Amino acid sequence: MALSSSGHPATTRLLFSLLLVGSAAGLPERAAIDRVNRRGPSLGLVMSYVDEATALQASGYFQPWRALPFVDLYGRRYHIGSIRGVNVIYALTGQRRLNAAVTVQTLIDVFSVSGIVHYGTAGSCNDSISFGDVSVPRLVAYTGAWTWKKFRSPRESSAELSFGEYNVPDGGGGENLLGSLKYRNEELYSAGKPMEEVFWLPVHSAWFRTAEQLTVELERCNDTFCLPTAPRIVYGLKGSSADMFLDNAEYRKFLFQEFGVSTMDEESAAVVMTATSPGIPVIVFRGVSDLAGGEPTWSSTSLMNLASINALKVAVEFIAAVGKHSSTASVKR
């Protein structure tokens, strides 16, 4: 539910009192929010893991707003400032889709936000993308919603996971008491539209085209490891999200074969869906830190930092590009 000054004043004050814990300036609840919004629209920047937030804090890209550097809401800290001269409010969401959705919804409802930029790390599902690369997906899906089918139920579609096909030593056939899983669509509620069931969620098309024009030199090395080749930005792949950390080679192969997804994470679909519902532009940048099952043990720990930094670098250049386009459009108007 959006909070606006057009609602009943007493109700609005009560809601803000429940929402707000405090601000850096110690201002009354509504005054702190109003002061931030008087700066003008901001881009919302969200990440899920502490390492991803640490990469931003250590980079020097983000310049806190001295007048009011943060506001605390729902136990989360929303940092107020700018990146490359563009107003930005960033927040660490926490892991999995509920945390991600709550954080993005708060940004949209409480602050004057013109779009949501999401960056972080992801596991690779196939060899279309390598360690250290940054994926800018065109489509993302939530692959953690299933209907559990009974043992010996007939197969209804290709998008089903049949456990019997993974029996050992009889893999590739037979039956299994776990039966099978049928993947479900999400119910998308959008402003001015009837509810529709969707599987794929697209990022904002104009923002995606802007991202395609970026030229960013990505990092090849961190303090502990150097990649054998220079990483790259890969555009237009598919990503998937689910409330689990995927570390299984057979399941990641299944996801690629059935859905064509190249990366797996826990939050991207929730971020995109939450922003899409009210029509807020949204885009995703995911750095590959590991192979989602079946990789050497060093990859996820050694490359987490490097993948975070590379995803952040692309996100920062995108923010600068969007800010430049907005300024140019304002001058023309």
Side-chain angles (χ1 to χ4, degrees), residues 132-260:
D133 288 351
V134 176
S135 174
V136 188
R138 190 188 297 271
L139 298 169
V140 296
Y142 182 71
T143 54
W146 311 316
T147 296
W148 206 293
K149 298 185 65 179
K150 294 182 179 180
F151 176 51
R152 292 181 177 174
S153 295
R155 192 181 185 96
E156 298 179 20
S157 67
S158 60
E160 290 185 13
L161 174 63
S162 176
F163 291 101
E165 296 179 4
Y166 299 90
N167 287 345
V168 175
D170 301 318
E175 297 178 334
N176 189 295
L177 291 176
L178 288 174
S180 61
L181 301 174
K182 179 182 177 181
Y183 287 79
R184 301 177 60 183
N185 293 334
E186 292 288 278
E187 295 181 349
L188 177 63
Y189 292 83
S190 301
K193 299 179 181 179
M195 185 277 290
E196 58 180 326
E197 292 192 2
V198 299
F199 186 77
W200 294 109
L201 296 159
V203 301
H204 192 263
S205 58
W207 273 20
F208 182 82
R209 290 192 296 270
T210 297
E212 286 184 302
Q213 306 304 313
L214 298 177
T215 301
V216 185
E217 184 177 348
L218 302 180
E219 299 294 329
R220 182 180 170 186
C221 301
N222 61 14
D223 293 337
T224 60
F225 184 78
C226 279
L227 296 168
T229 59
R232 60 202 173 101
I233 308 174
V234 184
Y235 297 98
L237 300 179
K238 295 178 180 178
S240 68
S241 300
D243 286 339
M244 59 183 175
F245 182 84
L246 178 55
D247 190 13
N248 184 279
E250 292 303 317
Y251 187 58
R252 68 169 169 80
K253 291 175 184 176
F254 168 82
L255 288 175
F256 175 70
Q257 292 166 0
E258 291 293 335
F259 303 115

Side-chain angles (χ1 to χ4, degrees), residues 5-47:
S5 58
S6 60
H8 191 280
T11 303
T12 303
R13 285 195 297 272
L14 175 60
L15 286 171
F16 271 104
S17 296
L18 293 173
L19 287 175
L20 294 168
V21 175
S23 68
L27 295 173
E29 297 90 355
R30 186 61 184 267
I33 296 298
D34 288 345
R35 187 172 186 182
V36 173
N37 289 337
R38 279 197 297 270
R39 298 193 314 158
S42 298
L43 289 177
L45 179 65
V46 293
M47 69 294 298

